[in-house]
Amino acid sequence: MLDFPRWKVTSIIALLVALMLLAVPTLLPERITDRWGSFPHPRVSLGLDLAGGSYLLLEANADDLVKARVEAMREQIVNEMRSATPRIQIGDVSTEGGKLSFLLRDVTQLEAARERLNRLTAGVGLTGQRDWDLSFVDATRVVMQPTQAGTAQAINDAMETATDVVRTRIDKLGTREPTIIRQGTNRIVVQVPGLKDPQALKDLLGKTAKLEFKMVAEVPYAEGGILPPGTQALAYPEGGSGAKIVVQRRAIITGDQLLTARQAYKQEDNSPIVEFGFNTEGGRKFAKVTQDNVGKRFAVVVDDQVISAPRINTAILGGSGYIEGSFTVQSANELAIALSSGKLPVALRVVEERTVGPELGADSIRAGITASIIATVAVIVFMLVTYGRFGVYANIAVVINVLIILGVLAVIGGTLTLPGIAGFVLTIGTAVDANVLINERIREEQRRGRSVLQSVELGYKEASRTIFEANVTHAISGVIMLLLGSGPVKGFAVVLLIGIVTSVFTAVVFTRMLVVLWLRRARPATLNI
């Protein structure tokens, strides 16, 4: 227990110094660390409750998601039957009542249709249940109904995707250390420290950014009139207030094949546009469509609204183009971000919004710092009065422990919240627990008549088991909070878990090293502890 060769002493000191240096950028003002340029300087970011900012609670309408899933399956059925050889003839696909049903025109194609439709269904989890129930009525009518397990899985997958898309969009806005987490089955919590005006963020997150290219059906639109089969009327702001344009229902190209999108300016009049580029497959399709439809118009559709409907004057073979409309620089940039980050699988609406001022955060920081200073001073005084030299070693370990926690938080990209400060204060109080146990055990061994070396060795050896077991129980509680908690609870758990590891190392290993070095140098006959 008291064996500390030179290499071990050097290694411990080097490790602690390196970890403490990681805390330096956090303790310095940003105007100083910004001058360091590309030199690494990780900082602990402040959470919403300390730095101020915006809080949004987004909610997806599960019914809309189910409808979108049914509509997507309708498109898949049409494409699957059309691609069969020979083509499987079916009637119009109905989506009434959340079910899909259609007539099979040729009964002899029943098995071929069944095989094709089975490809469109999949198992859910480990239950073996399908995501769609397939049934045949009178051998001519096909009915597909989403199962409950399939719907639940689809909602979960959609929300996971939506969370990733929201995170990507916020990151591209240039905000620092946002917190984006799921809440429940269909909600997403967004916290953006430092963002004072959340309106632009709400506008961006409200866009599903579903990009489609559809051919314009050259038929006039009349309110209440009957549209040709396979067409739909969509809003067309360029045509005036309330104007609509008739387009083909089937998309020739979708945003899934989009590779890049960025805000730019049109050369002719310097107006804002959105430049885009397709991947290989999308570029090939785009080239073929423009080649086959020279002289016709196609519509650029975003979220079921026609942004522009230009005429194809010549084939576009480069796999790229641009979207123009009544854009401002900001709206063009937001659309480019929305398109390049991927489409949201479901629309999100803001159900709760809060803006936290930086003044409140400043008060919390001052209160937290004050509490930390008071706790630190109280602990230092108590340990000095109670244990003398051994108390000094414990106090050095506490200070090092606080700096190491800051350094580790900075490296892992942690965000310090108000509960995190509470975790700091708690860590300061509990960091000396191990030293109290060790020192009391050394006292006990001295009362039994042990020598100085025996008392110290047995004190650290016997107390270490108790220290380990106590901190394991603390760590279990912290892990449970980290896994099951959210937001502030997780912030507290992170600081607590880091503090458990660092406090055990500094209180047991580091203080033992200091004691051993002192014993080697002073060789005391008695201990005043």
Side-chain angles (χ1 to χ4, degrees):
M1 291 293 291
L2 300 183
D3 183 24
F4 273 90
R6 180 171 297 178
W7 69 266
K8 185 181 290 188
V9 174
T10 304
S11 300
I12 292 174
I13 293 176
L15 175 63
L16 294 179
V17 170
L19 291 174
M20 286 189 292
L21 287 176
L22 294 174
V24 172
T26 301
L27 300 175
L28 295 176
E30 285 192 45
R31 64 177 183 274
I32 295 178
T33 57
D34 288 344
R35 298 173 186 169
W36 296 1
S38 59
F39 186 81
H41 52 278
R43 297 180 63 92
V44 176
S45 300
L46 299 181
L48 185 69
D49 50 0
L50 297 180
S54 297
Y55 169 96
L56 298 177
L57 179 60
L58 307 174
E59 183 180 65
N61 189 320
D63 294 336
D64 290 344
L65 195 149
V66 172
K67 291 178 182 177
R69 182 168 178 248
V70 170
E71 184 62 28
M73 179 56 77
R74 188 192 72 80
E75 294 289 340
Q76 285 182 283
I77 291 173
V78 173
N79 292 334
E80 192 72 21
M81 298 306 166
R82 184 182 289 116
S83 63
T85 305
R87 181 172 178 174
I88 299 175
Q89 301 293 332
I90 64 174
D92 288 339
V93 182
S94 171
T95 59
E96 291 184 4
K99 302 178 183 179
L100 292 168
S101 61
F102 59 90
L103 284 174
L104 194 63
R105 300 189 188 280
D106 187 352
V107 180
T108 62
Q109 294 181 313
L110 176 63
E111 289 304 318
R114 186 195 301 273
E115 182 181 351
R116 290 271 175 171
L117 292 174
N118 281 332
R119 296 179 187 175
L120 302 180
T121 65
V124 180
L126 301 177
T127 64
Q129 186 177 1
R130 310 296 289 181
D131 56 350
W132 290 82
D133 283 333
L134 176 62
S135 60
F136 292 83
V137 181
D138 299 331
T140 57
R141 178 169 290 276
V142 182
V143 179
M144 293 186 68
Q145 183 173 3
T147 64
Q148 185 175 0
T151 300
Q153 183 65 42
I155 292 175
N156 181 70
D157 292 344
M159 292 307 297
E160 287 292 335
T161 302
T163 303
D164 291 339
V165 172
V166 167
R167 180 176 292 109
T168 302
R169 292 184 182 181
I170 292 177
D171 288 344
K172 288 188 177 183
L173 279 178
T175 55
R176 294 190 59 184
E177 300 299 334
T179 299
I180 300 106
I181 55 175
R182 282 187 60 182
Q183 185 180 84
T185 57
N186 64 331
R187 289 186 169 186
I188 301 174
V189 174
V190 178
Q191 298 181 17
V192 187
L195 184 64
K196 299 178 182 179
D197 182 13
Q199 187 57 48
L201 179 62
K202 289 192 295 182
D203 293 342
L204 179 60
L205 298 183
K207 294 179 181 177
T208 54
K210 179 183 178 183
L211 173 66
E212 297 172 303
F213 292 84
K214 299 183 176 184
M215 295 305 300
V216 174
E218 299 296 345
V219 295
Y221 171 75
E223 188 70 36
I226 299 177
L227 297 175
T231 64
Q232 61 182 154
L234 299 178
Y236 184 38
E238 290 290 316
S241 178
K244 291 189 175 182
I245 188 172
V246 181
V247 300
Q248 298 293 334
R249 184 179 295 273
R250 186 172 66 90
I252 53 177
I253 304 176
T254 65
D256 297 334
Q257 294 152 340
L258 200 67
L259 193 63
T260 60
R262 67 182 186 90
Q263 186 268 322
Y265 296 94
K266 193 174 180 181
Q267 291 184 354
E268 289 80 0
D269 55 8
N270 210 35
S271 59
I273 58 173
V274 177
E275 290 184 342
F276 62 85
F278 291 112
N279 58 19
T280 303
E281 181 185 359
R284 179 179 54 79
K285 286 184 178 181
F286 194 54
K288 187 176 187 309
V289 168
T290 53
Q291 279 179 329
D292 296 343
N293 294 277
V294 173
K296 298 180 181 180
R297 299 168 68 199
F298 74 95
V300 181
V301 184
V302 178
D303 293 345
D304 292 328
Q305 178 173 292
V306 177
I307 301 297
S308 61
R311 191 171 301 278
I312 303 173
N313 296 320
T314 183
I316 303 175
L317 305 178
S320 62
Y322 61 85
I323 302 172
E324 60 179 338
S326 300
F327 290 129
T328 63
V329 173
Q330 181 178 347
S331 63
N333 185 56
E334 290 175 359
L335 178 58
I337 291 175
L339 293 176
S340 61
S341 62
K343 69 177 182 180
L344 281 171
V346 62
L348 300 172
R349 65 186 183 94
V350 179
V351 295
E352 184 180 348
E353 174 187 347
R354 295 200 303 267
T355 302
V356 181
E359 295 81 10
L360 179 61
D363 292 340
S364 300
I365 294 173
R366 282 194 295 270
I369 292 175
T370 302
S372 301
I373 292 174
I374 293 174
T376 302
V377 171
V379 168
I380 288 175
V381 171
F382 173 81
M383 294 300 291
L384 283 174
V385 172
T386 307
Y387 299 112
R389 175 182 291 274
F390 284 71
V392 173
Y393 296 155
N395 291 334
I396 295 174
V398 168
V399 174
I400 292 176
N401 184 43
V402 171
L403 294 176
I404 290 177
I405 293 175
L406 280 176
V408 173
L409 274 176
V411 169
I412 66 175
T415 300
L416 184 62
T417 61
L418 194 56
I421 292 180
F424 259 109
V425 177
L426 179 63
T427 300
I428 292 171
T430 59
V432 296
D433 280 356
N435 292 111
V436 171
L437 290 173
I438 293 169
N439 294 341
E440 290 299 327
R441 185 71 189 195
I442 293 175
R443 280 180 172 177
E444 184 178 340
E445 296 300 331
Q446 277 196 301
R447 285 193 292 268
R448 292 177 179 176
R450 307 279 189 187
S451 67
V452 171
L453 289 179
Q454 287 178 328
S455 298
V456 173
E457 182 171 9
L458 288 174
Y460 275 97
K461 182 178 180 180
E462 297 300 327
S464 294
R465 186 182 300 107
T466 304
I467 294 168
F468 176 77
E469 292 173 352
N471 281 280
V472 165
T473 59
H474 290 166
I476 291 173
S477 301
V479 169
I480 292 174
M481 286 191 291
L482 185 64
L483 294 177
L484 301 182
S486 62
V489 176
K490 279 192 174 183
F492 177 82
V494 168
V495 175
L496 179 64
L497 288 173
I498 295 174
I500 289 173
V501 176
T502 58
S503 64
V504 169
F505 182 79
T506 55
V508 176
V509 178
F510 177 67
T511 59
R512 179 156 48 95
M513 182 192 74
L514 294 180
V515 171
V516 169
L517 294 178
W518 173 68
L519 290 176
R520 286 179 184 174
R521 185 181 69 257
R523 300 186 181 277
T526 60
L527 289 178
N528 295 320
I529 184 174

